Amino acid sequence: MHSVAQALEIVLANVHPLPPTPTPLGPETLGQVLAEDVVSDLDMPPFDKAMMDGFALRSTDLRDGHAELTIIEEIPSGKTPTKTVGAQQTSRIMTGAPIPDGADAVVMIERCEIAGNTVRVNEPRIKPRLNILDRAKEMRVGETVLHAGTRLRPQELGLLAAVGQTTPKLRPAPRVAVLSTGDEIVASNVKPGPGQIRNSNGMMLLGQVQRAGGVPTFLGIARDDAAHLRSKIEEGLKFDVLILSGGVSAGKLDLVPGVLAELGVEALFHKVAMKPGKPVLFGVRPSHPRPHSPDGERGGMAVFGLPGNPVSSLVCFELFVRPAIRKLMALEPGPQWIKATLTKDFPYRTDRPTYHPARLTMSDAGWTVEPTPWFGSPDLRGILAANAFVLLPEGDHQHRAGDVLMVLCVEKD
Ligand code: AMP
Ligand code: MG
């Protein structure tokens, strides 16, 4: 049986960033990764630019900060100046407008007194280039302004817009199919009959996919019937990632591993030493057409068979599926670990490393962690109070308040 670290290593060795795709720039590309360098197609600003509303003038015309100048033109933003500012002359200018020839400074309007077509200026701090932003101060035409591998934040979106890159090449968000399995599982809009339970994993996993940056699709509930399961899995194999929940352990009706094998999915692990969890399957289908590429480019796809109990599913997703989704997007895969100080004594005995729901808090003393009440892998409600999982090593341990433990963060970016 693999450790969590070994299993994660296998996952990451077998998924690779998706091929770069020209993508329309928009808020939905936030968090995606640039696949190529971006070069500016212009100088920014494209001209020497006024930083203030006021008067463009020759700084040498001021004596001890004073001058009386003749107004020769008004330059609103968006207009090109037509007159050269000569000695004892000035042009009224708005913020963002181009500086007229001849002028080398702008005096803000608050330091000017207008009388007809003359203006009295009082600016003791006058100096050349005052209130002027030089052409190309921010970027020069031909300059590389963003590098491949950059993750798009709002400021990167703004810069791409500024250089006219409306369809940058990005690593696409993986398309991820979610398939629930089990004869006892019914849709959440149905009142469960005897022996039935509502499908909670489906909705939860869709949310986890979305939070991880993937594009989720729900494929429904497959019955514990090889033919039905097979047809549902075939649908799922058209995506970049297929996530199944339930049916992966060793019971008579745990048909997932067999059907996956029949469909050419090679299982690379099937059990991991952890709690909650243990039956968790990861497999790859070596070559299939990419849903993204119109020209039918081929690449491997990943399949995860997660345990049916909701908390096991959730934890296994965060440990193995989220890193895969992030690697497909060329992001740092994680997961994120934080060392935190236990706030109370917590003796705990377990035969496998256990990811126990916990509340992680930043305080003056640094990160602290408090395990939250929980009765085990079916207890989804029990993890509502948690925002992390504290890792409790196998064995019989007297964890004491003040001990430092590793915590799996699931809610930090
Ligand atoms: P399995 O892994 O299929 O043996 O399922 C383990 C446990 O998880 C069983 O009690 C199932 O009823 C429960 N379970 C499986 N799938 C789901 C689901 N989609 N939503 C909620 N519980 C589930
Ligand atoms: Mg089942």
Side-chain angles (χ1 to χ4, degrees), residues 180-181 184-185 197-202 245-247 249 254 307-310:
S180 306
T181 75
E184 77 283 27
I185 309 299
I197 56 165
R198 289 203 182 101
N199 179 16
S200 47
N201 289 351
S245 79
S249 32
D254 291 329
N309 275 310

Side-chain angles (χ1 to χ4, degrees), residues 245-413:
S245 79
V248 284
S249 32
K252 196 163 141 245
L253 288 179
D254 291 329
L255 306 171
V256 167
V259 173
L260 285 175
E262 271 172 47
L263 290 172
V265 176
E266 186 193 348
L268 300 179
F269 61 76
H270 189 171
K271 273 185 188 157
V272 178
M274 61 179 287
K275 253 186 191 173
K278 184 159 131 186
V280 47
L281 182 149
F282 168 65
V284 288
R285 196 161 190 243
S287 181
H288 81 126
R290 289 247 182 243
H292 302 288
S293 34
D295 53 3
E297 187 180 343
R298 297 173 81 83
M301 62 99 52
V303 181
F304 293 88
L306 306 184
N309 275 310
V311 182
S312 308
S313 248
L314 183 135
V315 171
C316 289
F317 180 99
E318 296 297 330
L319 285 173
F320 306 117
V321 187
R322 181 176 185 273
I325 290 174
R326 289 178 61 93
K327 179 144 186 212
L328 287 163
M329 298 178 76
L331 292 168
E332 195 54 54
Q336 273 198 309
W337 292 96
I338 280 185
K339 280 186 185 165
T341 306
L342 203 56
T343 53
K344 61 177 187 192
D345 290 354
F346 196 68
Y348 203 82
R349 179 191 187 144
T350 175
D351 58 351
R352 273 173 277 145
T354 296
Y355 295 78
H356 193 290
R359 186 94 210 148
L360 182 68
T361 310
M362 184 50 160
S363 70
D364 290 347
W367 289 105
T368 60
V369 65
E370 173 163 346
T372 53
W374 181 57
F375 65 73
S377 57
D379 187 11
L380 185 58
R381 185 180 176 195
I383 67 168
L384 299 182
N387 63 354
F389 292 85
V390 59
L391 176 55
L392 303 169
E394 68 178 286
D396 194 356
H397 294 277
Q398 299 299 314
H399 302 293
R400 296 268 173 232
D403 286 0
V404 173
L405 291 170
M406 297 299 290
V407 179
L408 171 70
C409 300
V410 298
E411 286 174 20
K412 284 184 81 244
D413 192 24

Side-chain angles (χ1 to χ4, degrees), residues 142-178:
E143 193 182 336
T144 299
V145 286
L146 289 168
H147 291 278
T150 302
R151 188 178 193 201
L152 302 185
R153 301 168 299 169
Q155 53 267 53
E156 277 81 22
L157 296 188
L159 199 84
L160 287 164
V163 300
Q165 268 285 356
T166 52
T167 48
K169 274 195 175 168
L170 304 179
R171 299 288 178 179
R175 291 163 206 210
V176 182
V178 172

